Amino acid sequence: MRKKEMAANLLLFFVAIIWGGGFVAGKMALSTLSPMTALFFRFGLAMILCGLCFPKRIMKTSKKTALQGCIIGSIQMVAQAVQLIGLKYTSAAKQSFLCTAYVALVPFISWLVIRKRPKITAFVAGFLALTGIGFICLTESFSIGFGDGMSLGFAFIFGLQIVLIGRFVGEDADSIQLSFFQFFTAALLSGVIVLIKSDISITISGESLIGILYLGILNTFVAMVGQNLSQKYAKDTTAALIISLESVFGFLFSLLYYHEKPGLRLVTGGILCFAAVFINTVGDQYVQLTIKKE
């Protein structure tokens, strides 16, 4: 069992690397595509791959699970649209840290949705995350840029999605079936919006194509399956901490690919945001162990 847990943690580490690269891939996809067109290709590709790999399993989906997947897919489409729109107006390095704020927001969203009061460590993590966000995106006039604000909006919506997925899976929903209808709904909604706006692009550059293939195959389908498989054996707190490393990898990849200069404020804010993630995932567990020892 110990070997399976170690293998699961290693797989989650690769998931974090893939998601970290997703910030750069998103920027690449937007070089010639609109956010909605990029989302249509991304989720459409993931849906097709999921259907080809798990056809029998998906055919057995219950109406309840299909409905839950559609709800999650609707929320995810909105979240990803907000993220990609924000990415057009901010750097991949900044967004990689701002989007990770969902880890600090989830306990409070859970408090609102399912009335589960956060532990004291959640309040500490929330304060650190808010301070870190201030370092990253506040200007000298104490205003937040449009792209940074949209990135924070994504963090809230994605946090809501995480809470709902946890609730649905807790009701014995099959994660693969849930994911297929999640991809299907996100692809359908983004496709309808593209058609209404007549926004679909026939000409796709090589950079956009690479970005879309990365987002659809690796960032959405492969990473999702990897996460589902690994979390059968990985501890929840450990899994959350490892996955949150996507912000660090996103920051590093954006520096390497776009040669972005980090700056002291961005680095300081990033450290504070990651500290919030760490406290929120393992801090409370440490406090409980200390109390038990005493």
Side-chain angles (χ1 to χ4, degrees), residues 47-55 58 180:
M47 177 194 69
I48 292 171
L49 290 173
C50 192
L52 290 175
C53 293
F54 307 101
I58 292 170
F180 174 81

Side-chain angles (χ1 to χ4, degrees), residues 83-130:
Q83 181 189 18
L84 284 181
I85 292 171
L87 192 55
K88 293 187 68 174
Y89 300 96
T90 190
S91 69
K94 290 177 70 175
Q95 192 180 77
S96 65
F97 285 119
L98 292 175
C99 287
T100 315
Y102 69 80
V103 180
L105 293 174
V106 163
F108 300 99
I109 296 173
S110 181
W111 191 7
L112 291 173
V113 176
I114 60 177
R115 306 299 181 185
K116 183 179 180 181
R117 181 181 173 84
K119 301 293 179 63
I120 186 65
T121 49
F123 289 96
V124 176
F127 175 77
L128 282 176
L130 185 62

